[in-house]
Amino acid sequence: MNSQQSATRLRFLAGARRAVPLLLPLLAFGVSFGLYARQTGFDAGAALLMSMITFSGGAQFAALGALAAGSGLVAAVLAVVLINSRFLSMGLTLAPDLRGSRWQRLLAGQLLVDETWLLSRRRNGRHRWEFFLAVGVIEWLIWALGTLLGLLFAEHLPAPETLGLDMAVAAFFLALMVSQLDDTNKRAAAIGSALLALLLLPFGQPGLALLLAPLPALIWLSLPTHTRRRNSRTSAAQIPASNPESGND
Amino acid sequence: MIENSWLVVIAVTLATAVCKTSGFWFRDKTLPVPITRVLPVLAPALLAAMVVNTSFAGNGHIAFDARIGGLLVALAALALRLPLLVVMALAAAATALLRALI
């Protein structure tokens, strides 16, 4: 093995290690999806296939929730698009760092979920390809395994909520967010988006807050008077999409 | 009872795949300035919204329940600079305990 291969392997392992804290909560939520599919009368084989090829927890729960409420397939697909609309903005920053042919990139793009995007993201806004792949493959396996366990043993396992695992995931996201609040613009974006999400809760569409999350930041960044010390670099006229963010790593 | 499970899987998978790869079409395009300026602050904004959704989402309303305890414990643990796994475990334990008590 040459040194470049071993460096790639080391980065892959480093990426895998970042996913470790999430293994148990993800497994539990895979189980809860399997359980939910059973409760809603969804075909068990179809539920497992869904976890393997859709690979988007929020979308899968939203779709089954809409169908179980009798909303029909069109409404279910709309709910899925709303929940997953955040992938548009995530894909914008991810695309330049995917490797391989067009088809390989499209396939790898299916590994895009919140955790793969967040854990592969570097401070300069680029993404580590090996981290993205490592977290994606591990999470895909755990999600499919959890779904299978949920479908098989649902009635014998405790609900993730009983163990507080939903808030373990929230704590993970919170810790990730706090570690990134290193300048005024990011703090403003986080506070604005949190407030907007609170305001949108009565509408009962969690995807809406994720779709509109960039909006408060857009408004904040267009304000002319406040001090934006660390962001002056990005004010240059137009920056190619392949390198949307400059800055230190 | 949900019918046409397999059709649902195909429809939901296609919709998700389109969303996941929608950003890729702009790979070599020049994006408008407001978008390139928002992208660096995108992660904290999305994370904040996800934390709020997980902590306060009721069924179409804001819910104040055991999850607030878990959120506060997580914030305290982060302020004390405890390791990530400890922060997650404490948040889960506090939430589970409050759920059992309430």
Side-chain angles (χ1 to χ4, degrees), chain B residues 9-36:
Chain B
V9 171
I10 292 168
V12 169
T13 299
L14 285 178
T16 301
V18 167
C19 289
K20 284 185 177 184
T21 48
S22 55
F24 296 11
W25 304 111
F26 302 92
R27 183 178 154 98
D28 298 316
K29 304 249 181 355
T30 302
L31 295 168
V33 176
I35 294 179
T36 60

Side-chain angles (χ1 to χ4, degrees), chain A residues 181-194:
Chain A
L181 298 180
D182 52 7
D183 75 36
T184 316
N185 290 333
K186 289 177 183 166
R187 284 193 281 271
I191 293 169
S193 157

